[in-house]
Amino acid sequence: MTKEQIVKIFHEKFGAEAPEVYTSPGRVNLIGEHTDYNGSFVFPGAIDKGMIAAIRFNGADKVKAYAIDLDESSEFGLNEEDLPKEGWAKYIFGVCREIIKRGGTIKAFDTVFSGDVPLGAGMSSSAALESTYAFALNDMLKLGIDKFELARVGQSTEHNYVGVKCGIMDQFASLFGKEGHLIRLDTKTMEYEYFPFDPQGYKLVLLDTVVKHELASSAYNKRRESCEHAARTIAKRHPEMEFLRDATMEMLLEVKNEISEEDFMRAQYVIEETQRVRDVSDALERGDYKTVGEKMYETHHGMSKLYEVSCDELDFLNDIAREHGVTGSRVMGGGFGGCTINLVKDELHDSFVADAKEKFKARFGHEPKVYDVVISDGARKL
């Protein structure tokens, strides 16, 4: 939806006075998966799909919100006991509450919003929604909260009002995104660096399996425990080691007989993935997309065979990418469903997508959804 269409709907709902309009994007993560809780690197970029919201203070004591895509309304106060029942409204309410907890004064407002970040495709529609409202309210009320703290506002909203114990990558990417650049974030130090990502002659394509296997949350916790156990065991010999990202394969091999085979495999994946992020950083500085692609395939293999968070649908799409000579392909996100992210040469794009859709449907009974994405700017006023 365009800014103009959203403003038109705002006027229909809330009258003639003009609103302010803000947007925040969804994100992709090129490489660095299941690394955030191991104190390692992630490598996201904001994309050209996101949320747009029209907002105007209403002088009342209640927020009135309308979700255009769902055709649902919600009305709520700004006190802790006013938590709305609508799932999507909890994000807006949570952002208001988290800003208030940080000493910011929030005034009630009227708002409508719409998005073209597909729900459940692993592009972080919820983070885009949180970042839109956090950025907008901070800007409109001149609260002076820095962008890092706004990312934490979004993360705390997930933790405290939605019940999702997410890391900070999604909100960070949505707020700090920069056109033509990926952001390498060190989750241990919170230092970040922009790397050029402007692959001439390539497209970035997401293939969404449209499946979500039930395993996801319990499996996530189990893998986290494996990594933490391996890290603790290594730290007995190497007390300087704080997170698994600080370990080397040599250190891991020293404790091979003291941990389970499963813990060993999980830790091996994380140590190798940390190195892959460094390799991709160097490759991007050289404009070497061939190496970037090779590392993406290595990550998929690691997530499938060592971390065991892939599934038949994702492995199937990865195999098709390889058959077609796609430069790079891997599962993106937590796994057990969702998307593959593919770095595809322009001349291969159409045949790869057509073949993937046809073969996937023949095997699994439905087509994958296809999203071409472009690396774009972060949260801003329109």
Side-chain angles (χ1 to χ4, degrees):
M1 258 192 172
T2 63
K3 174 187 170 182
E4 290 68 31
Q5 288 169 309
I6 287 167
V7 168
K8 181 171 178 282
I9 292 168
F10 182 91
H11 288 316
E12 288 164 9
K13 291 274 171 198
F14 299 116
E17 208 182 316
E20 311 267 7
V21 184
Y22 289 83
T23 186
S24 271
R27 64 102 190 106
V28 292
N29 186 35
L30 187 73
I31 201 158
E33 213 69 81
H34 286 281
T35 46
D36 53 349
Y37 51 86
N38 288 297
S40 192
F41 303 100
V42 290
F43 221 140
I47 55 171
D48 57 339
K49 292 170 173 46
M51 293 288 175
I52 302 178
I55 305 170
R56 187 183 70 210
F57 295 119
N58 60 23
D61 60 355
K62 281 194 164 54
V63 172
K64 294 178 182 169
Y66 176 63
I68 296 171
D69 307 327
L70 300 169
D71 189 22
E72 280 182 20
S73 296
S74 181
E75 192 173 308
F76 52 85
L78 291 167
N79 298 316
E80 195 66 24
E81 62 273 13
D82 297 327
L83 181 74
K85 62 180 188 300
E86 299 81 11
W88 57 268
K90 290 184 169 119
Y91 293 105
I92 303 173
F93 174 80
V95 165
C96 295
R97 287 299 307 160
E98 289 297 334
I99 290 175
I100 291 166
K101 288 179 198 174
R102 286 160 176 76
T105 303
I106 296 287
K107 297 198 289 198
F109 52 90
D110 298 332
T111 184
V112 306
F113 71 92
S114 174
D116 60 355
V117 197
L119 294 167
M123 290 178 243
S124 299
S125 51
S126 58
L129 185 59
E130 291 148 7
S131 301
T132 300
Y133 283 94
F135 186 90
L137 292 168
N138 184 51
D139 189 56
M140 291 168 76
L141 293 164
K142 303 198 168 20
L143 298 173
I145 302 171
D146 69 47
K147 279 204 281 193
F148 250 122
E149 198 53 41
L150 291 177
R152 290 193 181 96
V153 162
Q155 183 190 25
S156 302
T157 293
E158 300 263 2
H159 290 189
N160 299 328
Y161 298 96
V162 186
V164 176
K165 293 282 181 251
C166 65
I168 201 159
M169 172 176 72
D170 299 350
Q171 294 82 0
F172 173 85
S174 192
L175 286 153
F176 283 83
K178 183 175 167 185
E179 187 181 349
H181 292 78
L182 297 173
I183 323 160
R184 190 182 74 188
L185 172 65
D186 185 331
T187 63
K188 179 178 163 181
T189 64
M190 296 313 278
E191 293 169 334
Y192 65 95
E193 199 178 334
Y194 289 99
F195 284 80
F197 184 81
D198 190 19
Q200 298 297 318
Y202 293 89
K203 284 187 173 65
L204 209 48
V205 186
L206 304 185
L207 294 182
D208 181 5
T209 61
V210 207
V211 298
K212 197 76 197 143
H213 292 286
E214 279 311 299
L215 275 165
S217 55
S218 59
Y220 171 88
N221 293 337
K222 242 184 121 200
R223 277 151 187 75
R224 195 169 177 153
E225 284 159 20
S226 275
C227 292
E228 286 165 359
H229 181 245
R232 280 196 304 274
T233 309
I234 295 169
K236 287 177 189 161
R237 296 171 183 239
H238 301 275
E240 73 282 2
M241 204 199 81
E242 194 183 346
F243 288 104
L244 202 45
R245 74 72 74 76
D246 302 315
T248 61
M249 274 310 293
E250 289 73 29
M251 290 180 187
L252 180 61
L253 287 164
E254 286 172 12
V255 301
K256 186 168 187 180
N257 298 328
E258 297 167 42
I259 58 176
S260 69
E261 188 183 348
E262 189 173 275
D263 289 358
F264 182 86
M265 280 163 47
R266 306 301 186 239
Q268 180 185 345
Y269 164 77
V270 172
I271 292 167
E272 290 176 350
E273 183 74 345
T274 298
Q275 185 55 46
R276 279 190 286 270
V277 176
R278 292 191 175 106
D279 294 341
V280 165
S281 305
D282 295 342
L284 286 175
E285 303 239 274
R286 300 192 301 270
D288 172 8
Y289 289 97
K290 184 171 173 288
T291 296
V292 171
E294 284 166 7
K295 296 296 161 190
M296 289 169 74
Y297 278 115
E298 285 175 21
T299 292
H300 185 89
H301 182 266
M303 285 181 78
S304 180
K305 302 296 181 276
L306 294 174
Y307 223 64
E308 297 180 302
V309 292
S310 191
C311 59
D312 289 348
E313 294 91 343
L314 291 164
D315 288 344
F316 187 78
L317 288 175
N318 186 257
D319 289 343
I320 291 176
R322 213 181 261 285
E323 285 162 20
H324 273 265
V326 167
T327 304
S329 174
R330 70 174 192 86
V331 46
M332 184 181 83
F336 303 110
C339 280
T340 60
I341 179 170
N342 303 273
L343 184 62
V344 189
K345 283 196 169 142
D346 286 348
E347 62 269 22
L348 296 176
H349 175 274
D350 292 356
S351 62
F352 164 59
V353 167
D355 201 39
K357 283 164 86 167
E358 186 187 327
K359 287 181 172 160
F360 191 89
K361 186 175 183 184
R363 170 84 184 268
F364 298 106
H366 67 274
E367 288 187 354
K369 289 184 178 166
V370 181
Y371 304 103
D372 290 344
V373 295
V374 177
I375 301 301
S376 301
D377 285 324
R380 59 201 184 275
K381 186 176 181 177
L382 291 177

